[in-house]
Amino acid sequence: MKYPTGVKRNANQHMHGLNDKSKDKSNTDYSARGMTLEKDLDVTNTYYLNSDIAVIHKKPTPIQIVHVDYPARNRAKIDEAYFKTPSTSDFNGIYRGKYIDFEAKETRNKTRFPMINIHEHQVDHMHDCESHGGIVFLIVRFTAYGETFVYPFKEFYKHWMIFKQGGRKSIPYADIKESSITVPIRLNPRVDYLAAVDELFFK
Amino acid sequence: MKYPTGVKRNANQHMHGLNDKSKDKSNTDYSARGMTLEKDLDVTNTYYLNSDIAVIHKKPTPIQIVHVDYPARNRAKIDEAYFKTPSTSDFNGIYRGKYIDFEAKETRNKTRFPMINIHEHQVDHMHDCESHGGIVFLIVRFTAYGETFVYPFKEFYKHWMIFKQGGRKSIPYADIKESSITVPIRLNPRVDYLAAVDELFFK
């Protein structure tokens, strides 16, 4: 499927990476369902850690530091730095003795998940992790529906390979929904994605 | 063992964290044996990745971003940011299907490894990873001897608990050497620490 000229950019603007709040002010909007996916995952991972269920952390945003100022005896101030393209996914850790690795994205798009904000290095990384025996998936939220999916990487990768061979640049919403487990928003843990992982990877 | 007044600070200055090149110019010194431990691990991890042996990455340095400038159509420039205390160890990934987690430190100290530059959060994190079934260790280099050790976390933790209970603030060099496997510096892989991991954790 080709996008009409000019529409592709708009589609891109509706996809929000989670690894960089500063880039996109819309990440601070709160949907009708509550917090952003990044915030939901943060409180969920804290719950998992404190409940001794899993040790999963978001990696820091990769930054290229160009200059650091040392004003008198104060702490070091970085006064010139730039965002770098991430070479891995944003989240990893250990669950039930297994290595776990995932990327989390939310989109306002109602009909499809555009590939454009997933970096090739991240896909390669997730592919490597899976081939080494890790549990790998994406967490995709369609904010228009307030739906959060745990989407196995191997399902994503089928679409990615089609995309890389010149095929469609997005995954239809219905395809994701069919291959995923939906994670409800609850009080605590807020987004219990490991229940979906149990279902998808441990049965 | 108590340090004489004034010596403690010097001991600290001889301990170099690997997660932040900008903080310490001495990280750019090259020892007689070659590169810094951080650089050695970087090329080694790249070798492991390209040879399909393991997927292990150093996490980005955690930064608190305070202000980002968007000059015209140029890329975003971070013009105010600060280093944050890391809440996890610096390295993790997957090897032989297992979650692997480690911290790497080099010291110029000839007789002991001071605890002072290991953050409590990092120790707690490594303890959590080990209790969930991960392979956890420290890589410690004594630059004075050009010796690099893979030191199992559980050995480190014994000394850490003594330290937290008010005991000695460092680990004697001889104790580390006795409980570790020494990793030679080679051409490729430069620091084959996974050979030591095989020996310590897979036999």
Side-chain angles (χ1 to χ4, degrees), chain A residues 163-174:
Chain A
F163 163 57
K164 294 310 288 182
Q165 286 154 16
R168 75 178 293 155
K169 300 176 180 67
S170 63
I171 310 175
Y173 163 79

Side-chain angles (χ1 to χ4, degrees), chain A residues 22 52 60 70 76 78 81 92 132, chain B residues 22 52 60 70 78 81-82 92 132:
Chain A
S22 313
D52 209 26
Y70 299 89
I78 300 160
N92 73 1
H132 280 267
Chain B
S22 312
D52 209 26
Y70 299 89
I78 300 160
Y82 300 93
N92 74 1
H132 280 267

Side-chain angles (χ1 to χ4, degrees), chain A residues 179-190:
Chain A
S179 306
S180 299
I181 289 186
T182 307
V183 185
I185 304 288
R186 303 193 314 177
L187 191 61
N188 215 0
R190 187 153 170 84

Side-chain angles (χ1 to χ4, degrees), chain A residues 2-15:
Chain A
K2 296 252 185 191
Y3 294 100
T5 312
V7 173
K8 190 174 158 192
R9 277 294 112 193
N10 289 333
N12 185 16
Q13 283 162 10
H14 286 285
M15 171 63 67

